[in-house]
Every structure is written in structure tokens, then in C-alpha cells.
Amino acid sequence: MLLGARKIRWRLRRQHLSLSYTPSIKLNFHSLSQPKVESDDFLPWLERKAGAEISSALSIGKSAYGTSLFASKSITAGDCVLKVPYRVDSRWAPYIRWLPRPEEMHCTIFWSDDELELIRQSSVYQETINQRSQIKKEFLAIRTALKNFPEMSKSITYKDFMHAYALVDFAVTSRAWGSMKGYSLIPFADFLNHDGTSESLVLSDNDKHFSEVIADRNYAPGEQVLIRYGKFSNATLLLDYGFTLSSNIHDQVEIQVNIPHHDVLREMKWELLKRHHRPISNDVNGFDSSMDSFTIKEVRSGSGKGKGIPQSLRAFARVLCCASPQELSDLAKEAAEHDGRLARRPLINSSREIEAHQMLLSKLTQLADDCDASIKSLGPISSPVTCERLSIRRQMAQDLLNGELRILKSASAWLRNYCDTLTTTDCYR
């Protein structure tokens, strides 16, 4: 049976406003120059370990963006470009030499504080802070454990530990593929770079015990061979992989909404939401919080059903706009009489329905304005006084924010049209 799935790290991505809203550089691989081959020992070594040929169509090399795999001969769509037996095992020195060095890694944990300010508007900012905090805790724990071995502990710096942590942690989260037996690293295959539009995947045949990649198009010798890691947003690509795409069709935005503390019906509303299976969020101290997070995707139709805006978010807004216990009771009764889902249908009171969606529109518009301001504050992507690293990371920040702005604008446009339609309908009644 052939299975193929890149491992996904699931995280809570939040935009920090209250509702009180209180969610690349484009790797233009095809234009890269010929690969710079620094060593040709890895593939022969791996094939000796496997006791079988891995690939006669690919060679490993260094591109402008790190280790890559290039066509060593003409490849035709449908060709098997590599096949890695499951039995390949240890003694990884030649492999480790090809892993990225710190200066080659653009995952946001390696960004300076000033560079992180470029993406403060995105949820990736806070996730990076949280990730750094976790790495720091683990580093201090190791230092404490090694206090009886001063010679060893002195040689371990935080910078070295972060690099090692990233290699190990990201090896599991961004370099692993799934099969029926779980997740595993597939040497050589993990040097393939990502193209979000590619149909090529790493496939695992659990019956024949090998993993393989089938080309989805033709490649000329020297051209970089690409696969699709998964349907990942730029937020995931930047945080876990260290790159972005300029037009990522899988972009999304995580937003967080809450019930204002001054709302006299706050407890009743939250109890109603919890009773109808809305997940309970916890704050940093582990206490229940009257907040919820929702993932917004691009709304591709201005007059359709708003696919991309979660129905659960619209339901949350309808509950928030209830002004009396009776309105809340009516929503609970409606849910019980139908499919059990709360406020999934438009409110009977059209004025209240408009109010709920205008509230969402106001907050998404504010988020879009903030995101637009952040993009404009980036300044020139490159200039004579800008170092190459900062230029690359500015481009990544722009790709990330542009994608989130596109999502927010599409959702705002749909909500605006929805409210206008309801208002017009009311006028003709």
C-alpha cells in the first residue's frame, strides 16, 4: 500500500486583537544556477548502507538556498527518481555533513529581535517567542544536569544548543514522512525542496518496504527536482522550514475572539458555547479563558456562502451579539431541535444578524489595516546598505504578511457584501 504524508506540526496561531477581537522569499528554484557539488560521497555511502541503488537520476548539491537535489540526467514525468529501502540505518557522518549550518537556516527562532519585529503583526511572532522560551528552558535543564561535568558543560553554548535543537526538532517535525507504521526520516529524500504546486510526494510502500518519489513533470540535467511537502501556509513554512512562497494558495490566518469582561451576559454566553462543544482555551497560567481561535482561509467568491470563513466563527459572533437571556435561550432551543450545532443558521432578527457580521467585519478590517501598515513599514526589500540575510528575511516577512492581508481582505469583502445584502433586503420589506 502506498501512503504519503509529510509530518505536520499543529500549533495555535493567533492574531492578538479582541472582539472585542481582543490567525518568502520566493524560492525561484527553476532559475538557480548549476549546483555547486561540494562532495560526492553521500549517495555512494547511502547506497552501500542500503545494499541497493537509491537513484541514478539525482545528484546532491548546494544551491543558493542550501542543500538540494538536482537531475543528473533527463527525467520524464512518471519516472521513479529515487527509491530508499526501509533498512537504511545508522552511522550518519556523511549525512550530517550535509545538514544546514546556522547561517543557512532561516527558521524564525534564528531571527534577531529586530528581524522579528518585521512580523509582529503575524501569529508567527508570538509562536517564535514561545519556541525560544522552550529551547531556553531545555538548555538550562541540560546545563544543570551537566554541572558535575564542567569540561563538557563549558563547551556547550546556547547558540550551539539552539542549532542542535533545531536540527533534531525540525528533523522530526519538518524532515519526516508518515506511513502506516508512523513517522520516519528518509535520508536523501529529505534534501528535496518544496513546490506547493507539485504533484510529487514521497510515497511509502509498506508491503515492499521502500519509499519512492515519482516525477510529476520532465526535468533537464542540472535542474532542481521538487516535491510538495504538504498544503502548508507561509506561517508553517517560515516557522518550521525557514522559507516562504510569494503566492501561497494554502495561506490562512488564525484569529482569536473573546467575550468582553464588561458583557453582563458573559458567563451565560460562555456556558452556552461550552455546552455546545466549543473547545475551552487556557491562558498562559492554565486557567479557562473566554476565548476561542478560528482559522480563516481565502474567500474566493464575493457572492457565495463565504467558504473560508468558519461557520463556527459566525456562530460565535451571533452568540456575542445576543442582548438578553431570552435570545440565548432561543439559540439553545434551535440547536436542540436541529443538528445540535449552535447558531449555525442566520438569526431570525435580521438587525441582530447584521450586527454580528458587522462586528466581525470591523475587526477583520482593523486587522487588515494593521497588516497593511506592517507591510509598508518593511521598507525596501534590498538596498546597498542591507545585508543579504536581512534582505532575504524582509522578503520572507513580506510574503507572510501579504498572504495574511489577502486572506483578511477577502473575508472582509464577503462580510461587507453579506451585510449590504441583508440591509437591502430589509429596506424592501
Side-chain angles (χ1 to χ4, degrees):
M1 178 181 296
L2 286 174
L3 299 173
R6 193 83 185 207
K7 184 170 183 180
I8 302 174
R9 172 186 297 191
W10 295 102
R11 295 188 181 89
L12 184 63
R13 304 190 186 283
R14 296 175 175 173
Q15 293 281 355
H16 294 284
L17 244 83
S18 62
L19 198 74
S20 293
Y21 172 109
T22 350
S24 64
I25 187 167
K26 182 178 181 181
L27 300 188
N28 189 8
F29 295 122
H30 302 289
S31 65
L32 295 178
S33 59
Q34 293 292 317
K36 177 184 178 183
V37 179
E38 297 181 353
S39 171
D40 61 358
D41 64 341
F42 176 72
L43 184 55
W45 167 82
L46 185 61
E47 290 178 335
R48 288 195 300 272
K49 295 291 294 180
E53 182 179 74
I54 301 296
S55 176
S56 63
L58 299 174
S59 60
I60 188 171
K62 287 286 187 178
S63 71
Y65 301 102
T67 303
S68 308
L69 294 185
F70 295 83
S72 57
K73 65 179 184 180
S74 295
I75 297 174
T76 302
D79 287 352
C80 180
V81 295
L82 67 81
K83 185 178 293 186
V84 183
Y86 287 179
R87 63 179 175 272
V88 178
D89 56 14
S90 193
R91 299 182 182 178
W92 294 103
Y95 172 69
I96 292 172
R97 286 203 297 271
W98 281 98
L99 294 177
R101 296 183 292 272
E103 61 271 18
E104 297 175 318
M105 302 179 76
H106 292 289
C107 306
T108 49
I109 63 168
F110 295 102
W111 288 29
S112 68
D113 290 344
D114 288 341
E115 289 167 342
L116 273 182
E117 285 297 319
L118 301 175
I119 58 170
R120 177 179 280 274
Q121 180 60 28
S122 172
S123 58
V124 178
Y125 175 86
Q126 187 58 50
E127 289 190 56
T128 302
I129 300 300
N130 295 342
Q131 199 170 82
R132 282 181 174 176
S133 177
Q134 181 61 35
I135 294 173
K136 189 72 172 181
K137 288 180 181 178
E138 295 191 22
F139 173 69
L140 294 176
I142 287 178
R143 288 293 296 269
T144 300
L146 294 176
K147 63 182 180 180
N148 293 326
F149 306 92
E151 297 81 4
M152 184 182 298
S153 62
K154 288 179 181 179
S155 66
I156 302 175
T157 67
Y158 178 62
K159 181 178 179 180
D160 292 336
F161 180 79
M162 180 178 286
H163 179 220
Y165 184 99
L167 288 176
V168 173
D169 185 51
F170 297 158
V172 174
T173 59
S174 68
R175 303 177 77 90
W177 279 269
S179 69
M180 292 181 65
K181 295 183 178 180
Y183 293 100
S184 61
L185 299 178
I186 305 176
F188 197 63
D190 62 359
F191 291 136
L192 287 161
N193 280 320
H194 170 75
D195 177 358
T197 63
S198 174
E199 294 300 323
S200 289
L201 304 169
V202 172
L203 301 173
S204 297
D205 191 321
N206 289 316
D207 296 327
K208 297 181 179 179
H209 299 280
F210 62 74
S211 300
E212 66 181 4
V213 173
I214 305 300
D216 68 332
R217 66 177 185 83
N218 299 339
Y219 289 93
E223 190 175 359
Q224 186 174 183
V225 177
L226 305 170
I227 64 170
R228 188 179 75 226
Y229 294 171
K231 297 180 179 180
F232 295 149
S233 67
N234 272 339
T236 295
L237 293 177
L238 182 55
L239 192 66
D240 288 350
Y241 296 86
F243 69 89
T244 55
L245 304 174
S246 62
S247 298
N248 190 341
I249 62 174
H250 303 300
D251 269 330
Q252 59 189 37
V253 177
E254 289 287 334
I255 68 168
Q256 186 183 83
V257 297
N258 67 15
I259 304 175
H261 286 273
H262 59 75
D263 189 335
V264 296
L265 299 176
R266 181 173 185 268
E267 292 303 321
M268 290 183 65
K269 290 177 180 179
W270 191 238
E271 286 302 318
L272 180 62
L273 289 165
K274 287 194 294 185
R275 189 161 66 247
H276 286 270
H277 313 296
R278 290 303 309 158
I280 302 173
S281 300
N282 292 325
D283 63 18
V284 293
N285 297 310
F287 297 109
D288 289 353
S289 171
S290 299
M291 298 182 182
D292 220 336
S293 294
F294 303 88
T295 300
I296 296 179
K297 299 181 180 179
E298 186 170 7
V299 183
R300 302 182 185 278
S301 171
S303 58
K305 295 184 178 180
K307 186 176 181 181
I309 304 176
Q311 281 290 340
S312 54
L313 173 59
R314 298 172 65 189
F316 199 107
R318 288 165 180 150
V319 171
L320 288 183
C321 282
C322 287
S324 70
Q326 184 59 50
E327 287 182 307
L328 294 173
S329 177
D330 290 343
L331 288 181
K333 181 179 179 181
E334 179 187 273
E337 291 177 347
H338 294 94
D339 58 5
R341 295 182 295 179
L342 182 67
R344 303 284 281 188
R345 299 183 176 189
L347 296 173
I348 296 175
N349 184 331
S350 60
S351 296
R352 194 75 74 206
E353 176 75 356
I354 293 171
E355 179 186 354
H357 287 77
Q358 284 180 335
M359 178 175 61
L360 286 179
L361 173 61
S362 175
K363 301 312 175 181
L364 293 186
T365 300
Q366 181 62 57
L367 282 175
D369 290 344
D370 293 343
C371 193
D372 188 45
S374 294
I375 293 171
K376 292 176 179 177
S377 70
L378 292 176
I381 296 302
S382 61
S383 68
V385 296
T386 303
C387 70
E388 180 182 6
R389 186 189 73 178
L390 180 56
S391 177
I392 290 174
R393 292 179 180 178
R394 277 185 177 175
Q395 182 65 61
M396 291 179 175
Q398 186 175 78
D399 289 341
L400 173 70
L401 296 174
N402 276 338
E404 296 190 355
L405 178 60
R406 186 181 74 252
I407 304 303
L408 292 168
K409 281 186 172 180
S410 73
S412 296
W414 187 89
L415 288 168
R416 188 176 296 108
N417 181 72
Y418 181 74
C419 292
D420 289 346
T421 300
L422 289 180
T423 301
T424 301
T425 303
D426 277 353
C427 291
Y428 282 100
R429 286 179 178 173

